[in-house]
Amino acid sequence: AQFWADLRTSTDAGLLSVARFFGLLYGPIDAELPIDQALRKSLRYRLAPHVGWRHALGGIAYLLFLLLVVTGVLLAVHYRPSAQEAYSSIQHIVSEVTLGWLVRDLHAWAANLLVVAVLAHMARVFFAAAYKPPRETNWLIGVLLLFLVLAFGATGYLLPWDQWAYWTVTEALNAVAGIPLLGDAAAGLLRGDPIVSGASLSRFFAAHVIVLPWLALALLGFHFTMVRRHGVAPPPRPPAVPGSGRRFFPNHL
């Protein structure tokens, strides 16, 4: 008990700003309070009265992204990104690793649902006209995040290294090569060989687990910073009965 008391008094509440930066907290951080009290105060923050379930679509997409990160790390522990062992390592995960089948299915379903959640979130922003100034920069960041989500799906599609994945990616890269000017160079960069091979698998794996996550981290940080700076876009018409909105925790969260 004394240890936890000392830890609370010696930890700067400003550390909670990291959680706020990554979208895990919404309210402002009171750095003058001990960290446990500052956390409780931030969780009691009330959102605007017009904020409802539609405004949670972005949070759902973020939750799915975090689930993909956790399950992806667990899969990477057993996955072997080589043409000789990739397929057998997937079979090992789903048949021999404890709950490996569940982790892989969670990863696959979350990847599909993430696309749906991002599209639904962007549709809500578009039809609510929340992309207008001063939020146009955040709209552009959202469009980039949509392309990034699709890139995650495209690069992850080859990793099982089965017949379906191999020939689907082969056809997709052939289509990319047919794009005028830059198509052939882009397809060659992704393949790494004249045909889809182990070099292609290595490049897709590196993009999927290294390059794209860092890009996503940067864009998400920028996205959440803009949301905190400008706040939730006001409704086209103010509510008939003004008042305080729901609490961030537990209602909205």
Side-chain angles (χ1 to χ4, degrees):
Q2 184 61 41
F3 171 78
W4 291 114
D6 291 339
L7 184 64
R8 285 195 300 270
T9 56
S10 61
T11 305
D12 188 355
L15 290 175
L16 294 176
S17 298
V18 178
R20 188 170 183 267
F21 180 77
F22 287 109
L24 302 176
L25 290 175
Y26 202 92
I29 305 301
D30 191 343
E32 297 181 358
L33 294 174
I35 190 168
D36 55 332
Q37 297 180 29
L39 176 62
R40 285 194 291 269
K41 183 178 179 180
S42 181
L43 290 176
R44 289 195 300 268
Y45 180 80
R46 287 190 175 272
L47 302 171
H50 68 281
V51 174
W53 66 267
R54 295 177 184 85
H55 295 80
L57 292 170
I60 291 172
Y62 187 45
L63 173 65
L64 290 169
F65 177 78
L66 294 178
L67 179 61
L68 283 168
V69 171
V70 173
T71 54
V73 170
L74 294 176
L75 290 172
V77 171
H78 296 279
Y79 179 73
R80 297 178 181 179
S82 69
Q84 293 76 26
E85 298 179 298
Y87 180 77
S88 60
S89 67
I90 291 293
Q91 299 308 305
H92 171 72
I93 289 171
V94 299
S95 60
E96 298 181 31
V97 176
T98 304
L99 297 180
W101 60 271
L102 177 62
V103 174
R104 191 197 177 199
D105 284 353
L106 280 173
H107 195 77
W109 276 100
N112 291 308
L113 291 173
L114 178 60
V115 177
V116 176
V118 170
L119 290 174
H121 174 55
M122 297 188 71
R124 199 279 307 169
V125 172
F126 179 80
F127 288 112
Y131 58 87
K132 295 182 177 180
R135 298 174 176 83
E136 68 272 26
T137 299
N138 220 16
W139 171 257
L140 295 176
I141 294 298
V143 172
L144 291 177
L145 283 169
L146 172 62
F147 285 114
L148 200 65
V149 166
L150 298 177
F152 267 114
T155 54
Y157 203 89
L158 184 63
L159 301 188
W161 200 244
D162 54 13
Q163 290 289 323
W164 184 272
Y166 181 90
W167 291 112
T168 301
V169 171
T170 298
E171 291 298 323
L173 290 178
N174 289 338
V176 170
I179 298 175
L181 299 180
L182 299 178
D184 195 53
L189 179 65
L190 291 171
R191 273 197 301 258
D193 262 343
I195 63 171
V196 175
S197 64
S200 313
L201 179 62
S202 297
R203 294 190 179 198
F204 275 58
F205 179 76
H208 192 74
V209 304
I210 300 174
V211 178
L212 295 179
W214 279 109
L215 290 176
L217 183 66
L219 290 177
L220 283 171
F222 193 13
H223 191 65
F224 288 130
T225 301
M226 291 295 101
V227 171
R228 299 301 183 263
R229 174 172 296 178
H230 298 302
V232 180
R237 290 174 292 183
V241 181
S244 59
R246 67 178 64 191
R247 286 173 55 170
F248 173 72
F249 178 84
N251 305 79
H252 186 72
L253 187 61

